[in-house]
Amino acid sequence: MFGREVQLLVGRFNKGNESGGETVLDLSELDIEFDVTRSVEWFDNGAEITVYNAKPETLNTIINEGNSVILKAGYTDSGGARTIFAGQIANALTRREGKDVVLELNCVQARGNFYQLARLNMAVSFPKGKKIRECLQDMCDYAGIVLRAGAGAVLDEGIDYPYRRSGTFTDVVNDFFDYEMYQFGKAIVYLDNNELIVMARDKSLELEHVELTHASGLLECTAERDESLNKVNYGYDPEYFFLSKKEGDIAPKERPSKAIDRIKKVRGRCLMNASVVPNCFVVIDSSDDGDPYSGALAVKGRYIVTECNYRGGNTGRDFTVEFTAQEPVGGKDE
């Protein structure tokens, strides 16, 4: 519908993220609705997925054997579906809703601060010639981390040999680097539990970012001012402000004059875009030349996404990402 593409795989992924095999069911042809939350706070991450009118044998398999999901979404004219959620089924419920049979899946994300990438199993298969950027992005999407920075000339090259590997995420990334990049002197790869960085041999790199304008799918964006917990008000002396004692009993700490540590925050909504993920950079411009309030209401600048909610499906609902983001520490509007 309207170029939307939604893919839902459910089952037991015995070889990581490989979609083939008898243990994985492809439900992409069914009516699907989803509400996915991903945040820099790992405990907020989860997904509610609703599937309509699956076959009886499919329901039985999911209820009795299915334990994991991979959900992909996107537009066919802008790269197609990409992974927006990979995780485990926490609760599965079947019920009737009028003439429909409904399957509800409540899921938790595959990883967070306490689920290290060294424990995340995956399997990949890339053909010769596939761009390095696409290979790394596929792996990052599955793990739920950000391709933070790269060397453009290197990332746009194709791999010299077909690549297939299964193992932990860190093992696969390091092996891909050794097999497809290091031996050709292409780049250096740095990986931690939240991001992947590719640096060229000459130490150059380019920050990866997503541009959000009205032309590229931005629907709305507003700035937020929140000083409720800034350091000047409370951060340096919360005891003085919050405890029920006489002022004379608590000597306030010395607080020299300084600028308020006001971090600019924004909230926005855009068309479905799997590149908008927690920890990624977004360059936003919500200005409108024909709007007299544009100078006061428009958001312009570079921000880091802290939370996003993917909502929609292939049934006609909204197909959007709602996100919150904040200015990089020490950064200013561009």
Side-chain angles (χ1 to χ4, degrees):
M1 176 178 289
F2 307 114
R4 298 180 183 183
E5 187 176 348
V6 178
Q7 299 176 12
L8 176 62
L9 305 175
V10 183
R12 290 182 288 114
F13 297 85
N14 295 332
K15 296 182 179 180
N17 67 330
E18 282 192 347
S19 58
E22 297 179 356
T23 63
V24 179
L25 299 173
D26 187 345
L27 307 184
S28 304
E29 297 302 318
L30 299 175
D31 287 342
I32 300 167
E33 296 178 348
F34 56 82
D35 191 334
V36 175
T37 298
R38 289 173 58 183
S39 169
V40 293
E41 302 291 353
W42 64 271
F43 43 77
D44 287 336
N45 298 335
E48 296 180 0
I49 304 171
T50 304
V51 181
Y52 293 92
N53 300 317
K55 295 180 180 179
E57 55 268 29
T58 299
L59 296 177
N60 286 332
T61 300
I62 293 174
I63 292 295
N64 296 321
E65 301 179 28
N67 59 14
S68 299
V69 301
I70 296 178
L71 176 64
K72 301 181 179 184
Y75 287 96
T76 54
D77 60 354
S78 58
R82 279 178 44 192
T83 301
I84 60 172
F85 185 83
Q88 285 81 49
I89 298 173
N91 180 269
L93 172 68
T94 56
R95 59 183 173 83
R96 288 188 180 275
E97 188 176 285
K99 296 181 180 181
D100 293 324
V101 175
V102 178
L103 169 66
E104 293 182 352
L105 301 175
N106 291 308
C107 309
V108 293
Q109 192 173 356
R111 62 166 293 276
N113 288 0
F114 294 125
Y115 195 110
Q116 299 297 310
L117 292 178
R119 298 169 55 197
L120 179 64
N121 291 317
M122 70 181 306
V124 297
S125 178
F126 302 133
K128 177 182 177 180
K130 184 167 183 174
K131 290 185 178 181
I132 292 175
R133 181 191 304 276
E134 295 173 344
C135 297
L136 295 178
Q137 190 64 65
D138 284 351
M139 290 188 277
C140 287
D141 285 347
Y142 176 72
I145 67 172
V146 174
L147 181 58
R148 170 74 74 190
V154 173
L155 294 182
D156 290 332
E157 293 185 19
I159 58 178
D160 296 275
Y161 300 100
Y163 182 79
R164 298 179 180 86
R165 177 68 192 270
S166 62
T168 67
F169 181 83
T170 52
D171 286 344
V172 172
V173 170
N174 289 329
D175 184 76
F176 179 85
F177 166 66
D178 291 337
Y179 189 69
E180 296 286 358
M181 300 171 69
Y182 178 76
Q183 64 174 319
F184 301 105
K186 291 182 178 179
I188 303 170
V189 173
Y190 297 95
L191 172 68
D192 68 16
N193 204 51
N194 296 297
E195 62 187 12
L196 177 67
I197 295 174
V198 180
M199 181 178 292
R201 288 291 180 178
D202 62 0
K203 306 299 183 182
S204 64
L205 56 79
E206 301 171 12
L207 286 177
E208 299 290 314
H209 67 272
V210 181
E211 293 188 4
L212 293 178
T213 65
H214 293 308
S216 67
L218 182 66
L219 300 175
E220 58 183 324
C221 192
T222 58
E224 175 186 4
R225 174 174 173 173
D226 182 3
E227 298 180 29
S228 58
L229 289 178
N230 69 54
K231 291 180 181 178
V232 170
N233 285 347
Y234 308 112
Y236 289 118
D237 198 4
E239 183 182 40
Y240 178 75
F241 289 94
F242 292 117
L243 294 184
S244 299
K245 295 183 179 180
K246 295 180 179 180
E247 291 187 6
D249 296 336
I250 303 176
K253 299 176 183 178
E254 294 184 2
R255 283 172 293 176
S257 298
K258 60 177 62 182
I260 295 177
D261 61 316
R262 182 186 302 143
I263 298 176
K264 188 174 182 179
K265 299 179 181 180
V266 299
R267 299 177 182 271
R269 187 168 65 99
C270 64
L271 297 179
M272 182 60 61
N273 188 338
S275 296
V276 179
V277 295
N279 282 319
C280 82
F281 283 108
V282 288
V283 178
I284 301 173
D285 184 354
S286 66
S287 59
D288 183 348
D289 293 338
D291 184 356
Y293 285 94
S294 188
L297 300 180
V299 173
K300 297 180 68 175
R302 185 163 60 93
Y303 301 86
I304 297 177
V305 175
T306 55
E307 181 174 310
C308 46
N309 295 90
Y310 308 87
R311 295 190 176 95
N314 55 11
T315 61
R317 292 183 56 193
D318 286 345
F319 204 55
T320 60
V321 185
E322 294 182 2
F323 62 89
T324 57
Q326 68 181 37
E327 189 179 49
V329 176
K332 298 295 181 183
D333 286 353
E334 294 181 345

